[in-house]
Amino acid sequence: MPVKALFCSKDLGSASMIIPLANEWKRLGNEVVVISEGLAGAKFQEAGLPIFFRGTENFVSAPFTLDVEAALKAIQPSVVVVGESAPCHLEKQLAKGANALSIPLVAVDDLWGGFRRLEARPDLVLTLDELGISKAREVFPGVAVVAVGNPGVPSPSELEMLREMHVSSLESLKARFGRMISFIGGGKESTLKELELLLECLKLTPQPWCLVVSFHLKWRKVTDQSGVTYGEIWTKALVELGERVHYTHDLGINSQEAVLGADMVVAGVSTLMTTDAALGKPVVSLSTPEVLAVLKSEGGLDEVPQ
């Protein structure tokens, strides 16, 4: 008999973990139901998974409500599977609701110790590696923990296809500038400091090269207290690079295409870094106080894992 599971995620990093699990659950003949919000909503729709409820892209600027207890009682899932987006919203609410209704809860890490964001007790933690296992067992000694790697990393056959992909706009940049470095931005608190560190590194990097920047799709459009968008603030930080810096939203490509076409990927912490690492390309993690603060507060880590 098919077993019904409810899946939920908000951010793209979380979705890259949750959607492959949902697809596999469906392939095994089980029933999938989705509750989503944020940028993950479109990804679930593209995957053709049945969506029970989809919230707004940004619950802070466009608030919405969902009666989680009523939704869980209507869906009646045998298990609830949630990601761990930041800031956590529906994933946290569903995790707490599953605890309250004694529904088995599965927490899926896309960051070591990310289960802390849920403020709930999982029955199973699916994590990245041995470090993830250690962090989960520190907090939940009696809970089952399994290292599943990163389901968002392409399979060997998918990697072969990706190696053959060519993004025309990036090919022209490479022909003009030589090496292409791709920066992937994340949180609004950390991106500016990451860019400032990257800029100092680029000043020491022999040319020729160009930089292709991908800002977070949501945070790029959000304004700060002065009414200026974060995208404008971040762009200003790189103005001295002149024609050597280009932006994915101007090139008409997405962050994944920028990563695939890059000779090197640079970020603070991003799930997209795993694709280039799997392809054997150089990947650089920018360690700033802001990145370390996120890892400490949300993952209980004292340093960027090596």
Side-chain angles (χ1 to χ4, degrees):
M1 179 179 294
V3 179
K4 183 188 294 185
L6 170 61
F7 294 83
C8 179
S9 69
K10 176 175 75 75
D11 292 347
L12 294 179
S14 169
S16 73
M17 302 289 287
I18 293 292
I19 290 176
L21 294 175
N23 283 332
E24 181 65 12
W25 189 257
K26 182 179 179 181
R27 187 190 69 80
L28 293 172
N30 295 305
E31 186 176 352
V32 169
V33 181
V34 171
I35 288 179
S36 71
E37 61 176 318
L39 298 174
K43 294 298 181 181
F44 280 111
Q45 190 169 355
E46 290 171 10
L49 295 170
I51 299 175
F52 177 86
F53 176 85
R54 177 178 174 182
T56 62
E57 185 174 291
N58 187 339
F59 73 91
V60 177
S61 60
F64 64 89
T65 58
L66 172 67
D67 187 331
V68 167
E69 182 177 349
L72 288 171
K73 289 180 177 179
I75 297 169
Q76 296 186 330
S78 297
V79 61
V80 173
V81 184
V82 297
E84 303 158 354
S85 303
C88 220
H89 188 228
L90 282 182
E91 292 154 317
K92 181 194 296 187
Q93 293 178 22
L94 285 168
K96 289 183 172 183
N99 279 181
L101 296 174
S102 299
I103 303 171
L105 173 66
V106 179
V108 184
D109 288 352
D110 68 315
L111 173 74
W112 304 272
F115 53 81
R116 294 167 182 263
R117 299 168 175 166
L118 298 174
E119 300 176 9
R121 182 178 179 84
D123 297 279
L124 171 65
V125 177
L126 301 182
T127 190
L128 300 167
D129 50 26
E130 291 300 320
L131 177 59
I133 290 176
S134 173
K135 288 297 176 183
R137 286 179 175 165
E138 285 177 9
V139 180
F140 303 115
V143 167
V145 186
V146 180
V148 296
N150 187 334
V153 176
S155 65
S157 60
E158 290 171 330
L159 286 172
E160 288 304 315
M161 294 175 58
L162 292 176
R163 285 191 177 94
E164 301 301 319
M165 284 185 61
H166 296 281
V167 182
S168 57
S169 57
L170 298 183
E171 293 297 322
S172 61
L173 285 179
K174 284 187 176 183
R176 181 181 174 191
F177 293 105
R179 291 174 297 167
M180 194 200 101
I181 302 167
S182 178
F183 169 79
I184 307 298
K188 68 179 191 299
E189 295 85 2
S190 58
T191 296
L192 181 59
K193 294 299 182 182
E194 291 168 12
L195 289 173
E196 290 172 350
L197 175 57
L198 175 59
L199 185 58
E200 293 304 308
C201 295
L202 289 174
K203 290 177 181 178
L204 302 174
T205 304
Q207 297 184 14
W209 51 260
C210 68
L211 177 68
V212 172
V213 176
S214 179
F215 293 142
H216 193 285
L217 289 173
K218 179 177 68 179
W219 292 123
R220 177 172 71 89
K221 305 171 187 175
V222 174
T223 58
D224 69 357
Q225 293 179 342
S226 64
V228 180
T229 67
Y230 284 99
E232 292 171 321
I233 294 170
W234 298 333
T235 300
K236 186 178 179 180
L238 297 174
V239 69
E240 65 183 272
L241 293 180
E243 63 180 7
R244 292 196 171 275
V245 62
H246 301 265
Y247 300 91
T248 53
H249 53 272
D250 291 332
L251 294 170
I253 62 174
N254 58 38
S255 55
Q256 184 177 39
E257 290 170 321
V259 164
L260 291 175
D263 297 299
M264 174 186 290
V265 172
V266 182
V269 177
S270 171
T271 306
L272 284 169
M273 300 165 76
T274 58
T275 298
D276 258 34
L279 288 170
K281 296 181 180 181
V283 175
V284 177
S285 178
L286 296 167
S287 179
T288 67
E290 290 72 20
V291 170
L292 293 174
V294 170
L295 292 176
K296 178 67 175 178
S297 65
E298 300 189 13
L301 302 175
D302 295 316
E303 61 182 3
V304 177
Q306 303 297 318

